[in-house]
Amino acid sequence: MNIGIVSNESEKSVALVKQFRELAVKANLILDNKNPDVVVTVGGDGTLLSAFHRYAHMLNQVRFVGVHTGHLGFYTDWRDYEIEELVESLIRDKGESVSYPLLDVSATYQSRKEPSHFLALNESAIKRVDGTMVCDVYIKDEFFERFRGDGMCISTPTGSTGYNKSVGGAVIHPRINAIQIAEIASINNRVFRTLSSPMIIPTDEWLTLKPVTSEGFVLTIDHLTSSEKNVVELSYRVAKERIHFARYRHTHFWNRVEAGFLGAKQKYDF
């Protein structure tokens, strides 16, 4: 089995990677970043997002394992002091995995015949940087509303705990194959109206945003950001691809949510 390693540049992560490499070599595991079967990330959720985009073209053969060096991450199952246990699990690996839905993003531009496609693990946001964003919202090619506001956030179930949650979106369990759209500072008054609630889009439907003005947008795909011009429309749907995590001791989703937002489980005396 080939093992790839992706880490951040912190002193702690560099030391852990060195320890992991030494143990992996002793265990006769093959270290190969070009054609890995399992990618081990050392850092946090940001490091795992970077690894996902690096190997997005190999999702049908790669499984991910995250080691976090700080607070508990939503995609990282191992702590920095558990490197030896992780290597033992890799030695005993039987190919088991758990998979999560991804977001497919399609961007159509005035100057291009073919749309550009992207995959997001967490979310994609579209914002207007020099004024109010105005765009028509279509669901399954049927007009739904005209949106006015700062922007929109479209997230996966696992990404629902990120930017989506901060703008009032729901937290969705990743066994639900769907995407979610949440408004960012929408304008609602007697003249302009939006639904002003998060919406869940199932696998057999898709969301299309058609901006009234094609200039001055910022498009984010997870941690990646780009300034956009000549945007005709953006289309979002549940991707055909899925991300796979090695299932050695995958943490239950609601335990991640509890640990991430409420703290360690404990009894309170009032």
Side-chain angles (χ1 to χ4, degrees):
M1 182 171 63
N2 296 347
I3 309 296
I5 305 173
V6 177
S7 71
N8 59 30
E9 298 301 321
S10 71
E11 183 177 344
K12 191 172 188 179
S13 295
V14 171
L16 286 173
V17 169
K18 180 180 179 182
Q19 179 188 0
F20 177 82
R21 287 182 180 275
E22 292 174 352
L23 292 172
V25 170
K26 289 181 181 179
N28 295 318
L29 295 173
I30 301 172
L31 300 179
D32 183 359
N33 276 0
K34 292 185 178 181
N35 192 38
D37 300 300
V38 173
V39 173
V40 176
T41 68
V42 181
D45 282 344
T47 306
L48 195 141
L49 283 172
S50 296
F52 163 74
H53 285 280
R54 182 181 301 185
Y55 293 101
H57 63 293
M58 301 172 62
L59 294 179
N60 61 335
Q61 72 178 63
V62 170
R63 290 173 294 146
F64 294 86
V65 176
V67 178
H68 58 90
T69 55
H71 60 279
L72 178 65
F74 277 90
Y75 296 110
T76 52
D77 293 305
W78 297 81
R79 290 297 306 271
D80 47 2
Y81 51 79
E82 298 176 311
I83 296 298
E84 292 184 5
E85 290 89 337
L86 172 57
V87 172
E88 288 296 322
S89 295
L90 289 167
I91 295 171
R92 300 191 302 267
D93 181 86
K94 296 181 180 179
E96 295 181 334
S97 66
V98 57
S99 66
Y100 290 158
L102 299 171
L103 173 66
D104 179 276
V105 185
S106 176
T108 303
Y109 301 91
Q110 292 176 348
S111 57
R112 304 178 193 172
K113 293 183 179 180
E114 297 296 327
S116 299
H117 285 274
F118 311 94
L119 286 177
L121 176 55
N122 269 357
E123 78 276 311
S124 172
I126 180 71
K127 304 176 184 179
R128 184 80 186 278
V129 295
D130 58 354
T132 300
M133 186 178 96
V134 182
C135 71
D136 290 330
V137 179
Y138 292 79
I139 299 177
K140 204 174 181 180
D141 293 336
E142 292 287 336
F143 176 77
F144 183 77
E145 67 179 12
R146 171 160 286 192
F147 172 85
R148 288 176 172 85
D150 283 359
M152 288 190 169
C153 173
I154 298 88
S155 67
T156 65
T158 48
S160 68
T161 59
Y163 191 14
N164 167 79
K165 183 178 182 298
S166 71
V167 294
V171 176
I172 301 177
H173 195 284
R175 279 206 303 268
I176 299 174
N177 293 321
I179 59 174
Q180 179 173 186
I181 177 172
E183 299 177 358
I184 305 172
S186 60
I187 297 174
N188 278 282
N189 50 42
R190 288 186 299 171
V191 180
F192 305 123
R193 301 297 304 168
T194 67
L195 182 63
S196 193
S197 295
M199 293 186 290
I200 312 300
I201 308 297
T203 55
D204 60 344
E205 296 188 357
W206 56 94
L207 173 75
T208 303
L209 306 181
K210 296 183 179 181
V212 173
T213 302
S214 61
E215 304 289 334
F217 289 96
V218 169
L219 176 66
T220 69
I221 306 292
D222 290 333
H223 61 297
L224 307 173
T225 303
S226 65
S227 297
E228 300 294 328
K229 296 180 179 180
N230 301 319
V231 178
V232 175
E233 67 178 43
L234 294 164
S235 182
Y236 302 88
R237 67 180 70 217
V238 178
K240 296 179 181 178
E241 302 89 343
R242 295 174 68 89
I243 185 171
H244 298 266
F245 289 88
R247 193 170 191 170
Y248 303 137
R249 60 162 194 194
H250 204 62
T251 306
H252 191 275
F253 178 74
W254 295 122
N255 287 341
R256 296 174 189 270
V257 173
E258 193 280 334
F261 294 104
L262 302 175
K265 292 183 178 179
Q266 57 182 311
K267 293 181 178 179
Y268 296 92
D269 295 323
F270 294 100

